[in-house]
Amino acid sequence: MKKSTESTPAKDRQPVLILGASGYIGGRLIPLLLAAGYPVRALARAPAKLKGRPWSSHPRLEIVRGDVFDRDSLLTAARGCRAAYYLVHSMNPRVADFAESDRRAAANMAEIAGEAGLKRLIYLSGLGDEKAGMSSHLRSRAEVARILGSGPVPLTVLRAAMIIGSGSASFEILRYLVDRLPAMITPRWVSTPCQPIGVRNVLHYLTGCLEVPETAGETFDIGQEEIVTYRRLMEIYAEEAGLPKRLILPVPFLTPRLSSYWIHLVTPIPAALARPLAEGLSCPVICQDFRIRDLIPQDLLDCRQAIRLALDRQQQQEIETSWSDSGPLPPAEWAMSGDPGWAGGTVCDDSWRMVLDGTPEEIWPALAAIGGRTGWYYADWLWRLRGFLDRLVGGVGLSRGRRCPIDIRPGDALDFWRVLEAERPSLLLLASEMKLPGEAVLAFRLHPLDDGGTELQQIARYLPRGLLGLLYWYAVSPFHRLVFTGMLRGIAKAAGKKIVTGPERISTPK
């Protein structure tokens, strides 16, 4: 007689769909669900961004390509899943009308959820009181909840204020402001009451919702027990980081818009992302509903504990995800090829090579550590100047640094670059995210040689946009020989390997 498979737990059969898998929360939720025994299906516009994650090869994980704005791909991804986590929002500097984008995406999800056979939807929203006034960002989050809840599938909404965790946008703003400014003129919103929550508490509530059926169809406020102000958070951070007491002077004339420019200049967070965060901090965000504490009990971290844990993660270089992980990878169809048919012109190329007395495996660590605190191995003042100029015109600049000083993976932010490919020990491909009149990539290739040495190629390519793009290329080209050859020598020195030949220019890298 055949044995029945009905006794197999549901978590072992139907996957859980994660929308926003490459984001700050999604990238931390997936390994927790996998560890709990759930099969997981991760939706990503750029699956390559997930392939470098430590959990990407887990046998219960399926990574699928799709987009919340593409109804068909969304439906295909959701079919056969038991539940879906909706962790998508359009707080993206490249999205002009984030509210309309959020509205469209949520409508697609609400429409396909029933058709796909989903039994649960779980959405992480923002905390706030519409009657007492909310920022445009928080109003959009509330609207998304209403749209998702209008469909036939029961929706669970968790409403959170500021999330404190290593790599979160809110924590990075706090960290950079307090680290860099011993005295600061601040907006009045530093005295607005809020009820933050540690990221590990958020994740526990999210995973717990699957286990507790009573959470279906309900909305819950999640936050720590303590109500604080942003000023108090700054004071706690300074104490935990071992910094002298900061002088904080609130003034009435710093609007959220002006605050966002100030945050843009002092921290890695771009103004377009800082503004909705600043607007959210200008409104009181206090929990009014505490039912979830009984349904999904846990020890809630207070602000001091959450900040201490986040600092420990920073110091130990164990940042799982970062605010800068979000967003699609830039297109790279032309990056390592010849003239693309659609480009309307030739791709500008400036490439160099040298031969080192060492294997690719021996050279790779120095290459993979480039950028961030390590620097660019030569003329760092020029890189800092370029980053400063980019920051002045609204670009990302160099202040983002990198997620980890030694580990690198596709999708990582790396100063003003984005990692497209990181294939140890052969290829590192970066795409520029600077404000440019064109598109630029920088690649490093390691080729093993028959005599045991390695050829290191450095390939800079640029796709100009119009006359201004060409003028820009010709303006910076004179600096390339100095910077690129110096950088190659710096990599050799950092790797501790002797240069056999080069650096020398190559016309057509292979």
Side-chain angles (χ1 to χ4, degrees):
M1 189 174 81
K2 288 186 178 181
K3 292 183 179 180
S4 172
T5 58
E6 288 302 308
S7 60
T8 305
K11 66 170 63 175
D12 293 332
R13 296 198 307 269
Q14 287 184 292
V16 176
L17 177 65
I18 308 294
L19 306 175
S22 62
Y24 179 73
I25 295 295
R28 297 184 181 219
L29 179 62
I30 288 173
L32 292 179
L33 292 173
L34 291 170
Y38 291 100
V40 174
R41 184 176 296 167
L43 180 76
R45 284 176 291 179
K49 288 184 69 174
L50 300 181
K51 72 178 183 179
R53 304 293 174 95
W55 37 262
S56 62
S57 59
H58 196 286
R60 285 196 302 274
L61 176 67
E62 179 187 5
I63 300 174
V64 297
R65 184 184 299 275
D67 194 325
V68 290
F69 298 108
D70 180 350
R71 184 190 181 282
D72 291 341
S73 69
L74 192 57
L75 177 59
T76 300
R79 278 203 171 108
C81 293
R82 60 176 298 191
Y85 284 93
Y86 193 86
L87 306 173
V88 176
H89 58 91
S90 298
M91 258 175 53
N92 187 317
R94 298 185 183 89
V95 177
D97 187 348
F98 66 85
E100 174 57 26
S101 295
D102 279 342
R103 199 176 296 123
R104 285 173 46 218
N108 279 342
M109 189 68 215
E111 184 180 332
I112 67 94
E115 185 178 346
L118 293 174
K119 299 178 180 65
R120 296 281 304 275
L121 282 177
I122 301 169
Y123 171 52
L124 180 61
S125 184
L127 182 61
D129 185 354
E130 290 188 78
K131 296 179 181 177
M134 297 173 70
S135 68
S136 56
H137 166 62
L138 291 177
R139 282 197 303 272
S140 176
R141 290 289 191 95
E143 183 183 20
V144 166
R146 287 194 293 271
I147 293 171
L148 292 174
S150 66
V153 177
L155 172 70
T156 301
V157 181
L158 302 182
R159 306 196 317 156
M162 176 183 178
I163 297 176
I164 300 177
S166 58
S168 76
S170 298
F171 180 73
E172 290 300 286
I173 290 175
L174 176 69
R175 182 168 74 95
Y176 275 87
L177 289 178
V178 182
D179 279 351
R180 292 183 172 180
L181 301 175
M184 60 189 97
I185 296 174
T186 64
R188 286 181 297 185
W189 51 251
V190 297
S191 300
T192 303
C194 64
Q195 207 161 351
I197 185 169
V199 65
R200 67 168 54 185
N201 293 136
V202 175
L203 295 167
H204 185 78
Y205 280 137
L206 285 168
T207 54
C209 285
L210 280 183
E211 303 287 351
V212 181
E214 290 85 356
T215 60
E218 299 289 338
T219 296
F220 303 98
D221 295 349
I222 59 174
Q224 61 168 36
E225 296 182 2
E226 182 183 10
I227 297 174
V228 296
T229 64
Y230 201 80
R231 178 173 188 154
R232 180 58 186 148
L233 288 175
M234 289 177 164
E235 293 169 349
I236 293 172
Y237 179 91
E239 293 166 6
E240 289 299 318
L243 300 171
K245 186 174 181 180
R246 274 21 193 170
L247 178 62
I248 302 170
L249 301 173
V251 296
F253 54 80
L254 275 176
T255 64
R257 178 186 288 272
L258 290 175
S259 299
S260 69
Y261 297 145
W262 165 59
I263 291 170
H264 176 90
L265 288 174
V266 177
T267 81
I269 312 299
L273 178 56
R275 184 174 179 184
L277 292 173
E279 288 176 345
L281 291 169
S282 65
C283 307
V285 278
I286 308 298
C287 295
Q288 304 295 331
D289 175 8
F290 305 99
R291 292 172 298 144
I292 198 166
R293 295 182 185 178
D294 294 325
L295 292 170
I296 307 175
Q298 63 171 313
D299 293 329
L300 291 170
L301 302 174
D302 61 27
C303 287
R304 187 175 296 276
Q305 291 171 317
I307 288 173
R308 187 181 304 140
L309 283 171
L311 282 171
D312 288 345
R313 289 286 188 180
Q314 293 280 157
Q315 293 165 0
Q316 295 166 13
Q317 302 171 4
E318 294 179 353
I319 302 174
E320 299 170 66
T321 60
S322 169
W323 67 272
S324 59
D325 293 343
S326 299
L329 287 173
E333 293 87 349
W334 58 275
M336 302 297 287
S337 60
D339 299 347
W342 51 268
T346 301
V347 173
C348 301
D349 182 292
D350 195 352
S351 302
W352 297 77
R353 67 179 290 277
M354 69 178 179
V355 175
L356 300 177
D357 184 17
T359 66
E361 275 289 354
E362 293 171 331
I363 299 164
W364 176 262
L367 183 57
I370 201 166
R373 293 183 180 180
T374 301
W376 291 83
Y377 294 123
Y378 184 78
D380 279 349
W381 68 272
L382 278 175
W383 290 91
R384 287 193 293 269
L385 176 61
R386 184 64 186 89
F388 174 73
L389 294 175
D390 185 58
R391 205 77 175 142
L392 285 182
V393 297
V396 295
L398 286 181
S399 57
R400 292 187 306 184
R402 49 182 292 162
R403 177 187 54 82
C404 175
I406 54 175
D407 176 54
I408 194 166
R409 65 193 186 200
D412 275 355
L414 179 59
D415 292 335
F416 45 56
W417 303 91
R418 177 75 61 178
V419 180
L420 292 184
E421 295 183 43
E423 298 177 3
R424 180 185 182 123
S426 58
L427 174 65
L428 177 62
L429 176 60
L430 312 175
S432 172
E433 293 189 332
M434 288 184 287
K435 295 280 188 178
L436 291 174
E439 297 178 44
V441 296
L442 181 64
F444 298 89
R445 278 182 161 171
L446 292 165
H447 295 287
L449 302 177
D450 293 339
D451 61 2
T454 297
E455 180 183 81
L456 170 58
Q457 293 183 354
Q458 178 183 281
I459 304 162
R461 287 190 166 177
Y462 176 70
L463 184 65
R465 192 182 306 120
L467 178 61
L468 183 60
L470 285 171
L471 292 175
Y472 172 82
W473 175 258
Y474 293 131
V476 299
S477 288
F479 298 97
H480 284 176
R481 174 183 288 273
L482 174 71
V483 174
F484 290 168
T485 58
M487 183 159 49
L488 285 172
R489 292 189 182 99
I491 293 171
K493 182 178 180 181
K497 298 302 173 185
K498 179 183 176 181
I499 298 175
V500 180
T501 61
E504 60 190 8
R505 182 174 266 125
I506 51 177
S507 56
T508 307
K510 296 180 181 180

